[in-house]
Amino acid sequence: MALPGFRARSWAAATKMAQRRRRAEAARKSPSPVPGNQRAALYVHWPYCEKRCSYCNFNKVESVFFGGGTPSLASPHTVAAILESVAQATHLPADCEVTLEANPTSAPGSRLSAFGAAGVNRLSIGLQSLDDNELQLLGRTHSASDALQTLAEARRLFPGRVSVDLMLGLPAQQVGPWLRQLHELLRHCDDHISLYQLSLERGTTLFTQVQRGALPAPDPELAAEMYQEGRAALREAGFRQYEVSNFARNGALSTHNWTYWQCGQYLGIGPGAHGRFMPQGARGHVREARIQTLEPDIWMKEVMLFGHGTRKHIPLGKLELLEEVLAMGLRTDVGITHQHWQQFEPQLTLWDVFGARSKEVDALLEQGLLQLDHRGLRCSWEGLAVLDSLLLTLLPRLQEAWQQRTLSPVPGG
């Protein structure tokens, strides 16, 4: 795709002025907690997204996220062209958050600067570890020194707009050394850190090595201790744990990810990408889950033949959507406000579902793991760390309340 020179440059230039305003405002406000039905986020699974969506009916794209894969391997000119295509298809504000995932070995300073000129205004760096042996274990091509050098350059170019990932729960990893990595990272990082526990996926090299006994299986108790110690260290360093795995200070929350956790609409473009939105002309305001074809070559052929690479269209039922609202919303420190819940279900309130007599829910409230009050439903600091276990109680309770409502509808409702 040819770079639409003048207009792409003008949009990118506009983002520079908007970035100055955004940095000044970031410390004073958080992302909108209730995305409207005419706003959406866009996730581009690299490297294939240069065709305008033919099914998009949004008036505004609030954020764009280039994920992968390794999108920092792409040409900055191509990134600029994609952003310009989005800007032509819908309203792309000059201060829209545009994030690019980057790996240290594919993102020298000159390249990062070119991405900034293309319109990228936020970086997510896959640092993963500051231990060279662990990086080799993970199959990473960078060293700890490479990672810190890239981080320093990124902070210079995108001040206040750089996120880093740190993994925990690796095979043979111990709490003390991992905490020392985190404290070292705190001496170099910007205002956003994500902590992710390793998930052994079938078919990966690590999975095979553990299965064959070449590596010890990760210890879940040690991983839990790392997580607890890590979140405490980040809180002491002034970071707000605004989501289970994400920590920010100085208002540097991820607008894009906030859309996911608030069950806002988002488009997923590229091989294997997922989306959640109400398609154009949808009757009854039915939201759909859409899944793109996984294999890149096949995806591209489908785009050339049919204009899109969507493999599955799955209408989401009302209860399914409420389950997502519950599970995603409770991942945040804000939780689910009454106003937010009513956007999705105006009749069955949070009080109706979780304030009614339920011994299991009452036990969570009494233990201080869960809070239900005039603000809404949310996890406590302690509850956020064990959210998965809380959902084992809360989701069945929602399903039970929904079934009772269906059997006994509200008169006149």
Side-chain angles (χ1 to χ4, degrees), residues 32-208:
S32 173
V34 185
N37 61 7
Q38 292 297 307
R39 295 179 291 174
L42 174 65
Y43 176 85
V44 181
H45 189 82
W46 195 257
Y48 307 108
C49 179
E50 296 188 13
K51 188 173 180 67
R52 187 184 310 175
C53 308
S54 60
Y55 49 79
C56 178
N57 68 336
F58 302 110
N59 293 330
K60 180 180 177 182
V61 169
E62 294 190 310
S63 64
V64 180
F65 194 103
F66 291 92
T70 309
S72 52
L73 288 171
S75 164
H77 286 272
T78 305
V79 170
I82 293 171
L83 291 173
E84 179 58 21
S85 292
V86 175
Q88 290 175 359
T90 186
H91 176 49
L92 187 66
D95 62 350
C96 172
E97 179 187 274
V98 181
T99 303
L100 180 104
E101 286 187 344
N103 286 340
T105 50
S106 63
S110 59
R111 196 170 187 80
L112 293 181
S113 179
F115 281 124
V120 171
N121 55 32
R122 183 176 182 272
L123 292 178
S124 179
I125 299 178
L127 185 144
Q128 314 308 359
S129 174
L130 288 178
D131 181 284
D132 286 342
N133 291 327
E134 290 180 355
L135 289 170
Q136 289 180 4
L137 178 70
L138 293 168
R140 309 296 288 184
T141 58
H142 68 269
S143 66
S145 176
D146 294 332
L148 292 178
Q149 183 176 348
T150 299
L151 177 56
E153 192 68 10
R155 291 189 65 190
R156 182 182 70 82
L157 294 167
F158 301 88
R161 307 281 289 171
V162 180
S163 178
V164 291
D165 298 345
L166 186 66
M167 296 189 72
L168 58 89
L170 275 60
Q173 194 175 49
Q174 298 298 314
V175 177
W178 181 82
L179 272 177
R180 286 193 287 274
Q181 286 188 50
L182 177 58
H183 285 291
E184 173 70 10
L185 182 58
L186 284 170
R187 288 193 283 271
H188 299 275
C189 71
D190 205 351
D191 292 332
H192 194 284
I193 294 179
S194 299
L195 299 182
Y196 294 118
Q197 183 174 348
L198 174 68
S199 175
L200 287 178
E201 301 292 342
R202 186 177 297 275
T204 63
T205 301
L206 270 181
F207 181 90
T208 302

Side-chain angles (χ1 to χ4, degrees), residues 265-292:
Q265 299 185 96
Y266 62 94
L267 301 173
I269 305 299
H274 290 229
R276 294 281 194 282
F277 59 92
M278 286 185 288
Q280 191 174 28
R283 295 183 178 180
H285 306 289
V286 176
R287 186 178 293 210
E288 286 188 357
R290 292 203 178 184
I291 303 173
Q292 301 280 296

Side-chain angles (χ1 to χ4, degrees), residues 206-232:
L206 270 181
F207 181 90
T208 302
Q209 290 174 321
V210 170
Q211 284 291 98
R212 292 177 176 174
L215 288 174
D219 187 326
E221 292 187 3
L222 284 179
E225 186 178 350
M226 291 176 202
Y227 177 70
Q228 289 285 39
E229 294 286 346
R231 65 201 291 255

Side-chain angles (χ1 to χ4, degrees), residues 261-263 276 287 316-330 336-350 353-354 377 391 394-395 397-399 401-403 405-406:
W261 300 319
Q262 293 293 302
C263 279
R276 294 281 194 282
R287 186 178 293 210
L316 296 177
K318 196 67 175 290
L319 176 58
E320 289 178 279
L321 183 55
L322 289 179
E323 290 171 342
E324 288 191 3
V325 172
L326 178 67
M328 298 300 281
L330 287 181
I336 307 161
T337 67
H338 293 291
Q339 294 82 0
H340 180 63
W341 180 265
Q342 288 169 2
Q343 295 286 324
F344 298 92
E345 176 44 58
Q347 294 183 344
L348 191 65
T349 69
L350 288 172
V353 179
F354 304 108
L377 181 72
L391 290 174
L394 298 176
L395 285 170
R397 175 60 198 139
L398 171 60
Q399 294 158 3
W402 183 262
Q403 185 178 25
R405 173 185 179 276
T406 303

Side-chain angles (χ1 to χ4, degrees), residues 291-320:
I291 303 173
Q292 301 280 296
T293 296
L294 180 62
E295 301 82 2
D297 291 345
I298 298 176
W299 184 89
M300 180 60 79
K301 290 178 182 177
E302 291 178 353
V303 169
M304 299 301 290
L305 286 172
F306 310 119
H308 66 85
T310 302
R311 178 63 60 92
K312 293 182 180 179
H313 303 243
I314 307 171
L316 296 177
K318 196 67 175 290
L319 176 58
E320 289 178 279

